PDB file of all heavy atoms in Angstrom:
ATOM      1  N   LEU A 349     -43.803 114.478 177.999  1.00 98.00           N
ATOM      2  CA  LEU A 349     -42.834 115.375 177.363  1.00 98.00           C
ATOM      3  C   LEU A 349     -41.478 115.310 178.055  1.00 98.00           C
ATOM      4  O   LEU A 349     -40.453 115.608 177.441  1.00 98.00           O
ATOM      5  CB  LEU A 349     -43.370 116.809 177.351  1.00 98.00           C
ATOM      6  CG  LEU A 349     -44.614 116.984 176.472  1.00 98.00           C
ATOM      7  CD1 LEU A 349     -45.000 118.461 176.394  1.00 98.00           C
ATOM      8  CD2 LEU A 349     -44.386 116.433 175.068  1.00 98.00           C
ATOM      9  N   ARG A 350     -41.482 114.927 179.310  1.00 97.00           N
ATOM     10  CA  ARG A 350     -40.193 114.774 180.001  1.00 97.00           C
ATOM     11  C   ARG A 350     -39.299 113.772 179.286  1.00 97.00           C
ATOM     12  O   ARG A 350     -38.085 113.847 179.346  1.00 97.00           O
ATOM     13  CB  ARG A 350     -40.427 114.297 181.432  1.00 97.00           C
ATOM     14  CG  ARG A 350     -40.842 115.408 182.358  1.00 97.00           C
ATOM     15  CD  ARG A 350     -40.383 115.106 183.777  1.00 97.00           C
ATOM     16  NE  ARG A 350     -40.751 116.199 184.656  1.00 97.00           N
ATOM     17  CZ  ARG A 350     -40.050 117.312 184.770  1.00 97.00           C
ATOM     18  NH1 ARG A 350     -38.953 117.472 184.071  1.00 97.00           N
ATOM     19  NH2 ARG A 350     -40.442 118.269 185.572  1.00 97.00           N
ATOM     20  N   LYS A 351     -39.938 112.828 178.610  1.00 96.00           N
ATOM     21  CA  LYS A 351     -39.138 111.796 177.928  1.00 96.00           C
ATOM     22  C   LYS A 351     -38.301 112.396 176.801  1.00 96.00           C
ATOM     23  O   LYS A 351     -37.353 111.759 176.324  1.00 96.00           O
ATOM     24  CB  LYS A 351     -40.047 110.704 177.380  1.00 96.00           C
ATOM     25  CG  LYS A 351     -40.724 109.954 178.505  1.00 96.00           C
ATOM     26  CD  LYS A 351     -41.573 108.809 178.020  1.00 96.00           C
ATOM     27  CE  LYS A 351     -42.296 108.174 179.206  1.00 96.00           C
ATOM     28  NZ  LYS A 351     -43.673 107.860 178.920  1.00 96.00           N
ATOM     29  N   LEU A 352     -38.643 113.585 176.387  1.00 98.00           N
ATOM     30  CA  LEU A 352     -37.840 114.216 175.332  1.00 98.00           C
ATOM     31  C   LEU A 352     -36.444 114.572 175.839  1.00 98.00           C
ATOM     32  O   LEU A 352     -35.552 114.871 175.051  1.00 98.00           O
ATOM     33  CB  LEU A 352     -38.531 115.478 174.810  1.00 98.00           C
ATOM     34  CG  LEU A 352     -39.851 115.255 174.065  1.00 98.00           C
ATOM     35  CD1 LEU A 352     -40.439 116.584 173.616  1.00 98.00           C
ATOM     36  CD2 LEU A 352     -39.637 114.347 172.859  1.00 98.00           C
ATOM     37  N   GLU A 353     -36.275 114.563 177.151  1.00 97.00           N
ATOM     38  CA  GLU A 353     -34.946 114.858 177.695  1.00 97.00           C
ATOM     39  C   GLU A 353     -33.914 113.878 177.157  1.00 97.00           C
ATOM     40  O   GLU A 353     -32.752 114.228 176.971  1.00 97.00           O
ATOM     41  CB  GLU A 353     -34.984 114.829 179.225  1.00 97.00           C
ATOM     42  CG  GLU A 353     -35.654 116.066 179.790  1.00 97.00           C
ATOM     43  CD  GLU A 353     -35.852 116.027 181.295  1.00 97.00           C
ATOM     44  OE1 GLU A 353     -35.761 114.918 181.872  1.00 97.00           O
ATOM     45  OE2 GLU A 353     -36.103 117.094 181.878  1.00 97.00           O
ATOM     46  N   LYS A 354     -34.368 112.656 176.880  1.00 97.00           N
ATOM     47  CA  LYS A 354     -33.442 111.654 176.331  1.00 97.00           C
ATOM     48  C   LYS A 354     -32.862 112.097 174.999  1.00 97.00           C
ATOM     49  O   LYS A 354     -31.778 111.676 174.609  1.00 97.00           O
ATOM     50  CB  LYS A 354     -34.173 110.320 176.133  1.00 97.00           C
ATOM     51  CG  LYS A 354     -34.317 109.532 177.389  1.00 97.00           C
ATOM     52  CD  LYS A 354     -34.891 108.149 177.079  1.00 97.00           C
ATOM     53  CE  LYS A 354     -35.581 107.603 178.301  1.00 97.00           C
ATOM     54  NZ  LYS A 354     -36.844 106.954 177.978  1.00 97.00           N
ATOM     55  N   LEU A 355     -33.605 112.907 174.267  1.00 97.00           N
ATOM     56  CA  LEU A 355     -33.122 113.397 172.974  1.00 97.00           C
ATOM     57  C   LEU A 355     -32.253 114.643 173.127  1.00 97.00           C
ATOM     58  O   LEU A 355     -31.774 115.191 172.146  1.00 97.00           O
ATOM     59  CB  LEU A 355     -34.305 113.735 172.061  1.00 97.00           C
ATOM     60  CG  LEU A 355     -35.184 112.569 171.602  1.00 97.00           C
ATOM     61  CD1 LEU A 355     -36.404 113.092 170.859  1.00 97.00           C
ATOM     62  CD2 LEU A 355     -34.395 111.629 170.706  1.00 97.00           C
ATOM     63  N   GLY A 356     -32.102 115.117 174.363  1.00 96.00           N
ATOM     64  CA  GLY A 356     -31.308 116.319 174.579  1.00 96.00           C
ATOM     65  C   GLY A 356     -32.141 117.579 174.679  1.00 96.00           C
ATOM     66  O   GLY A 356     -31.600 118.682 174.673  1.00 96.00           O
ATOM     67  N   VAL A 357     -33.446 117.408 174.787  1.00 98.00           N
ATOM     68  CA  VAL A 357     -34.319 118.572 174.946  1.00 98.00           C
ATOM     69  C   VAL A 357     -34.389 118.913 176.434  1.00 98.00           C
ATOM     70  O   VAL A 357     -34.559 118.025 177.268  1.00 98.00           O
ATOM     71  CB  VAL A 357     -35.739 118.271 174.423  1.00 98.00           C
ATOM     72  CG1 VAL A 357     -36.662 119.457 174.640  1.00 98.00           C
ATOM     73  CG2 VAL A 357     -35.689 117.885 172.955  1.00 98.00           C
ATOM     74  N   GLU A 358     -34.192 120.177 176.756  1.00 97.00           N
ATOM     75  CA  GLU A 358     -34.409 120.585 178.146  1.00 97.00           C
ATOM     76  C   GLU A 358     -35.901 120.747 178.357  1.00 97.00           C
ATOM     77  O   GLU A 358     -36.579 121.409 177.558  1.00 97.00           O
ATOM     78  CB  GLU A 358     -33.724 121.921 178.418  1.00 97.00           C
ATOM     79  CG  GLU A 358     -32.211 121.841 178.360  1.00 97.00           C
ATOM     80  CD  GLU A 358     -31.607 123.223 178.498  1.00 97.00           C
ATOM     81  OE1 GLU A 358     -31.879 123.873 179.520  1.00 97.00           O
ATOM     82  OE2 GLU A 358     -30.906 123.649 177.568  1.00 97.00           O
ATOM     83  N   VAL A 359     -36.406 120.155 179.421  1.00 98.00           N
ATOM     84  CA  VAL A 359     -37.845 120.192 179.665  1.00 98.00           C
ATOM     85  C   VAL A 359     -38.101 120.767 181.045  1.00 98.00           C
ATOM     86  O   VAL A 359     -37.519 120.321 182.036  1.00 98.00           O
ATOM     87  CB  VAL A 359     -38.457 118.774 179.566  1.00 98.00           C
ATOM     88  CG1 VAL A 359     -39.959 118.832 179.831  1.00 98.00           C
ATOM     89  CG2 VAL A 359     -38.184 118.162 178.203  1.00 98.00           C
ATOM     90  N   GLU A 360     -38.964 121.744 181.084  1.00 98.00           N
ATOM     91  CA  GLU A 360     -39.260 122.418 182.336  1.00 98.00           C
ATOM     92  C   GLU A 360     -40.776 122.416 182.490  1.00 98.00           C
ATOM     93  O   GLU A 360     -41.483 122.804 181.559  1.00 98.00           O
ATOM     94  CB  GLU A 360     -38.762 123.850 182.188  1.00 98.00           C
ATOM     95  CG  GLU A 360     -38.570 124.620 183.426  1.00 98.00           C
ATOM     96  CD  GLU A 360     -38.162 126.046 183.040  1.00 98.00           C
ATOM     97  OE1 GLU A 360     -37.785 126.269 181.875  1.00 98.00           O
ATOM     98  OE2 GLU A 360     -38.257 126.906 183.899  1.00 98.00           O
ATOM     99  N   VAL A 361     -41.252 121.964 183.638  1.00 98.00           N
ATOM    100  CA  VAL A 361     -42.698 121.847 183.809  1.00 98.00           C
ATOM    101  C   VAL A 361     -43.176 122.805 184.888  1.00 98.00           C
ATOM    102  O   VAL A 361     -42.589 122.872 185.964  1.00 98.00           O
ATOM    103  CB  VAL A 361     -43.082 120.392 184.173  1.00 98.00           C
ATOM    104  CG1 VAL A 361     -44.584 120.283 184.404  1.00 98.00           C
ATOM    105  CG2 VAL A 361     -42.632 119.441 183.069  1.00 98.00           C
ATOM    106  N   PHE A 362     -44.209 123.555 184.592  1.00 98.00           N
ATOM    107  CA  PHE A 362     -44.800 124.497 185.546  1.00 98.00           C
ATOM    108  C   PHE A 362     -46.144 123.953 185.988  1.00 98.00           C
ATOM    109  O   PHE A 362     -46.975 123.595 185.155  1.00 98.00           O
ATOM    110  CB  PHE A 362     -45.036 125.856 184.883  1.00 98.00           C
ATOM    111  CG  PHE A 362     -43.772 126.571 184.481  1.00 98.00           C
ATOM    112  CD1 PHE A 362     -42.995 126.107 183.432  1.00 98.00           C
ATOM    113  CD2 PHE A 362     -43.378 127.730 185.136  1.00 98.00           C
ATOM    114  CE1 PHE A 362     -41.838 126.766 183.057  1.00 98.00           C
ATOM    115  CE2 PHE A 362     -42.220 128.395 184.777  1.00 98.00           C
ATOM    116  CZ  PHE A 362     -41.448 127.912 183.730  1.00 98.00           C
ATOM    117  N   GLY A 363     -46.364 123.916 187.295  1.00 98.00           N
ATOM    118  CA  GLY A 363     -47.639 123.449 187.822  1.00 98.00           C
ATOM    119  C   GLY A 363     -48.523 124.600 188.259  1.00 98.00           C
ATOM    120  O   GLY A 363     -48.192 125.779 188.070  1.00 98.00           O
ATOM    121  N   GLN A 364     -49.640 124.228 188.874  1.00 98.00           N
ATOM    122  CA  GLN A 364     -50.644 125.208 189.306  1.00 98.00           C
ATOM    123  C   GLN A 364     -50.022 126.375 190.077  1.00 98.00           C
ATOM    124  O   GLN A 364     -50.250 127.542 189.760  1.00 98.00           O
ATOM    125  CB  GLN A 364     -51.687 124.501 190.177  1.00 98.00           C
ATOM    126  CG  GLN A 364     -52.696 125.403 190.847  1.00 98.00           C
ATOM    127  CD  GLN A 364     -53.840 125.788 189.926  1.00 98.00           C
ATOM    128  OE1 GLN A 364     -54.233 125.024 189.052  1.00 98.00           O
ATOM    129  NE2 GLN A 364     -54.365 126.990 190.103  1.00 98.00           N
ATOM    130  N   LYS A 365     -49.209 126.032 191.099  1.00 97.00           N
ATOM    131  CA  LYS A 365     -48.705 127.093 191.972  1.00 97.00           C
ATOM    132  C   LYS A 365     -47.728 127.988 191.228  1.00 97.00           C
ATOM    133  O   LYS A 365     -47.714 129.215 191.416  1.00 97.00           O
ATOM    134  CB  LYS A 365     -48.022 126.479 193.201  1.00 97.00           C
ATOM    135  CG  LYS A 365     -49.011 125.774 194.103  1.00 97.00           C
ATOM    136  CD  LYS A 365     -48.718 126.010 195.582  1.00 97.00           C
ATOM    137  CE  LYS A 365     -49.823 125.426 196.449  1.00 97.00           C
ATOM    138  NZ  LYS A 365     -49.503 124.061 196.917  1.00 97.00           N
ATOM    139  N   ASP A 366     -46.904 127.381 190.368  1.00 98.00           N
ATOM    140  CA  ASP A 366     -45.961 128.194 189.592  1.00 98.00           C
ATOM    141  C   ASP A 366     -46.713 129.185 188.715  1.00 98.00           C
ATOM    142  O   ASP A 366     -46.340 130.345 188.592  1.00 98.00           O
ATOM    143  CB  ASP A 366     -45.115 127.300 188.667  1.00 98.00           C
ATOM    144  CG  ASP A 366     -44.414 126.199 189.432  1.00 98.00           C
ATOM    145  OD1 ASP A 366     -43.823 126.503 190.465  1.00 98.00           O
ATOM    146  OD2 ASP A 366     -44.504 125.036 188.984  1.00 98.00           O
ATOM    147  N   LEU A 367     -47.769 128.677 188.101  1.00 98.00           N
ATOM    148  CA  LEU A 367     -48.518 129.522 187.173  1.00 98.00           C
ATOM    149  C   LEU A 367     -49.255 130.616 187.937  1.00 98.00           C
ATOM    150  O   LEU A 367     -49.363 131.753 187.469  1.00 98.00           O
ATOM    151  CB  LEU A 367     -49.485 128.663 186.348  1.00 98.00           C
ATOM    152  CG  LEU A 367     -48.770 127.620 185.470  1.00 98.00           C
ATOM    153  CD1 LEU A 367     -49.785 126.642 184.866  1.00 98.00           C
ATOM    154  CD2 LEU A 367     -47.960 128.281 184.360  1.00 98.00           C
ATOM    155  N   GLU A 368     -49.727 130.268 189.125  1.00 98.00           N
ATOM    156  CA  GLU A 368     -50.370 131.294 189.960  1.00 98.00           C
ATOM    157  C   GLU A 368     -49.363 132.375 190.313  1.00 98.00           C
ATOM    158  O   GLU A 368     -49.654 133.567 190.246  1.00 98.00           O
ATOM    159  CB  GLU A 368     -50.916 130.667 191.245  1.00 98.00           C
ATOM    160  CG  GLU A 368     -52.271 130.007 191.057  1.00 98.00           C
ATOM    161  CD  GLU A 368     -52.694 129.194 192.285  1.00 98.00           C
ATOM    162  OE1 GLU A 368     -52.069 129.378 193.361  1.00 98.00           O
ATOM    163  OE2 GLU A 368     -53.616 128.385 192.149  1.00 98.00           O
ATOM    164  N   LYS A 369     -48.161 131.930 190.683  1.00 98.00           N
ATOM    165  CA  LYS A 369     -47.129 132.896 191.051  1.00 98.00           C
ATOM    166  C   LYS A 369     -46.785 133.808 189.890  1.00 98.00           C
ATOM    167  O   LYS A 369     -46.541 134.992 190.046  1.00 98.00           O
ATOM    168  CB  LYS A 369     -45.870 132.159 191.517  1.00 98.00           C
ATOM    169  CG  LYS A 369     -45.705 132.132 193.011  1.00 98.00           C
ATOM    170  CD  LYS A 369     -44.338 131.570 193.356  1.00 98.00           C
ATOM    171  CE  LYS A 369     -44.490 130.479 194.394  1.00 98.00           C
ATOM    172  NZ  LYS A 369     -43.334 129.606 194.474  1.00 98.00           N
ATOM    173  N   LEU A 370     -46.745 133.220 188.708  1.00 98.00           N
ATOM    174  CA  LEU A 370     -46.431 134.016 187.522  1.00 98.00           C
ATOM    175  C   LEU A 370     -47.562 134.979 187.170  1.00 98.00           C
ATOM    176  O   LEU A 370     -47.350 135.974 186.501  1.00 98.00           O
ATOM    177  CB  LEU A 370     -46.177 133.090 186.329  1.00 98.00           C
ATOM    178  CG  LEU A 370     -44.820 132.393 186.272  1.00 98.00           C
ATOM    179  CD1 LEU A 370     -44.826 131.346 185.168  1.00 98.00           C
ATOM    180  CD2 LEU A 370     -43.711 133.393 186.043  1.00 98.00           C
ATOM    181  N   GLY A 371     -48.761 134.651 187.615  1.00 98.00           N
ATOM    182  CA  GLY A 371     -49.893 135.502 187.291  1.00 98.00           C
ATOM    183  C   GLY A 371     -50.562 135.144 185.982  1.00 98.00           C
ATOM    184  O   GLY A 371     -51.010 136.009 185.244  1.00 98.00           O
ATOM    185  N   PHE A 372     -50.648 133.832 185.722  1.00 98.00           N
ATOM    186  CA  PHE A 372     -51.301 133.373 184.494  1.00 98.00           C
ATOM    187  C   PHE A 372     -52.829 133.357 184.660  1.00 98.00           C
ATOM    188  O   PHE A 372     -53.475 132.313 184.560  1.00 98.00           O
ATOM    189  CB  PHE A 372     -50.812 131.951 184.151  1.00 98.00           C
ATOM    190  CG  PHE A 372     -49.584 131.911 183.288  1.00 98.00           C
ATOM    191  CD1 PHE A 372     -48.568 132.832 183.463  1.00 98.00           C
ATOM    192  CD2 PHE A 372     -49.459 130.948 182.284  1.00 98.00           C
ATOM    193  CE1 PHE A 372     -47.424 132.785 182.662  1.00 98.00           C
ATOM    194  CE2 PHE A 372     -48.321 130.897 181.482  1.00 98.00           C
ATOM    195  CZ  PHE A 372     -47.301 131.817 181.672  1.00 98.00           C
ATOM    196  N   GLY A 373     -53.404 134.527 184.912  1.00 98.00           N
ATOM    197  CA  GLY A 373     -54.838 134.585 185.205  1.00 98.00           C
ATOM    198  C   GLY A 373     -55.702 134.147 184.043  1.00 98.00           C
ATOM    199  O   GLY A 373     -56.806 133.625 184.226  1.00 98.00           O
ATOM    200  N   SER A 374     -55.218 134.366 182.850  1.00 98.00           N
ATOM    201  CA  SER A 374     -56.012 134.020 181.675  1.00 98.00           C
ATOM    202  C   SER A 374     -56.036 132.507 181.468  1.00 98.00           C
ATOM    203  O   SER A 374     -57.091 131.896 181.344  1.00 98.00           O
ATOM    204  CB  SER A 374     -55.410 134.727 180.455  1.00 98.00           C
ATOM    205  OG  SER A 374     -56.142 134.450 179.298  1.00 98.00           O
ATOM    206  N   MET A 375     -54.875 131.887 181.526  1.00 98.00           N
ATOM    207  CA  MET A 375     -54.815 130.436 181.330  1.00 98.00           C
ATOM    208  C   MET A 375     -55.475 129.701 182.496  1.00 98.00           C
ATOM    209  O   MET A 375     -56.197 128.718 182.297  1.00 98.00           O
ATOM    210  CB  MET A 375     -53.354 129.999 181.181  1.00 98.00           C
ATOM    211  CG  MET A 375     -53.164 128.496 181.153  1.00 98.00           C
ATOM    212  SD  MET A 375     -51.507 128.045 180.605  1.00 98.00           S
ATOM    213  CE  MET A 375     -51.336 126.429 181.346  1.00 98.00           C
TER     214      MET A 375
END
Side-chain angles (χ1 to χ4, degrees):
Chain A
L349 294 186
R350 281 209 178 278
K351 294 183 184 137
L352 294 179
E353 285 174 343
K354 280 187 204 138
L355 294 173
V357 178
E358 293 174 58
V359 180
E360 198 184 345
V361 178
F362 294 70
Q364 173 82 32
K365 293 220 173 95
D366 305 313
L367 298 170
E368 278 171 15
K369 258 188 230 161
L370 282 171
F372 271 38
S374 181
M375 172 167 156

